[in-house]
Amino acid sequence: MRYTPAQALEITKISRETLRYWRNVLPPLQGKKGKSARYSAGDLLALLIINEIVSVFEMNIAVIASVAQQIFTTCQGVRWHQISDKQLVIDIKGANVSIVPPTDSPYSSNGMLIIINIDFWQQKLRDLLVTDEAIQFTLPFNPLLVKNKIKAAS
């Protein structure tokens, strides 16, 4: 399923101005301009994670740019049922992103590592995508059975 820019903003709670700026800074978003742009669930997961990193660590988005493509590729390529209890490990200086079980430690890096519980964010996104509005509503009229006779070709 693909989401419009307006839906992406609503789901991720990122402001229009922020997304506009990020499109100029983050390589995976540079082609997603205009009303025809579409976002996958993986894109939304990456946006949620990047927004959290930027907010919590008060980090400039330009610092994330070096690993943004890997974050998006990892989030797009992951099968959601396979990331239960997994961590997203982002090595900014080493420009490396990986998904690992929490038992795969210690981590080695020459710089800063950001370790994120990807299962938490995947579940949060799932909850945001599956709201009461997404449930099929009752039709305002009763369905009517229509019988058609199929004529044989002569």
Side-chain angles (χ1 to χ4, degrees), residues 40-50 53 67-80 83 88 90 97-99 116 118 121-122 125:
S40 68
D43 292 333
L44 298 179
L45 180 60
L47 287 170
L48 281 172
I49 289 170
I50 290 171
I53 292 169
V67 290
Q69 186 63 55
Q70 289 185 47
I71 293 172
F72 275 83
T73 301
T74 301
C75 289
Q76 291 165 350
V78 72
R79 299 193 186 269
W80 288 24
I83 61 172
L88 182 69
I90 302 170
V97 175
S98 57
I99 295 178
I116 297 169
I118 194 168
W121 290 102
Q122 175 261 343
L125 178 58

Side-chain angles (χ1 to χ4, degrees), residues 19-83:
L19 184 60
R20 188 177 300 127
Y21 178 69
W22 286 9
R23 278 193 220 125
N24 294 322
V25 177
L26 301 178
L29 297 178
Q30 288 176 353
K32 296 181 185 289
K33 295 184 179 184
K35 294 185 180 194
S36 63
R38 295 291 178 261
Y39 296 86
S40 68
D43 292 333
L44 298 179
L45 180 60
L47 287 170
L48 281 172
I49 289 170
I50 290 171
N51 190 44
E52 185 70 4
I53 292 169
V54 169
S55 299
V56 169
F57 295 109
E58 298 179 359
M59 187 178 293
N60 188 317
I61 191 66
V63 175
I64 300 292
S66 65
V67 290
Q69 186 63 55
Q70 289 185 47
I71 293 172
F72 275 83
T73 301
T74 301
C75 289
Q76 291 165 350
V78 72
R79 299 193 186 269
W80 288 24
H81 65 278
Q82 294 175 335
I83 61 172

Side-chain angles (χ1 to χ4, degrees), residues 2 12 16 20 28-29 44 48 51-52 62 71 81 89 92 107-108 114 117 121 124 129 132 140 144 154:
R2 297 288 188 185
T12 61
R16 184 174 310 282
R20 188 177 300 127
L29 297 178
L44 298 179
L48 281 172
N51 190 44
E52 185 70 4
I71 293 172
H81 65 278
V89 179
I92 303 275
Y107 305 102
S108 63
I114 300 172
N117 179 351
W121 290 102
K124 182 173 181 151
L129 294 177
D132 291 338
L144 177 65
S154 1

Side-chain angles (χ1 to χ4, degrees), residues 112-136:
M112 180 173 72
L113 284 179
I114 300 172
I115 302 172
I116 297 169
N117 179 351
I118 194 168
D119 187 38
F120 169 82
W121 290 102
Q122 175 261 343
Q123 186 59 50
K124 182 173 181 151
L125 178 58
R126 182 176 291 168
D127 292 345
L128 290 168
L129 294 177
V130 183
T131 64
D132 291 338
E133 296 171 10
I135 298 172
Q136 185 174 358

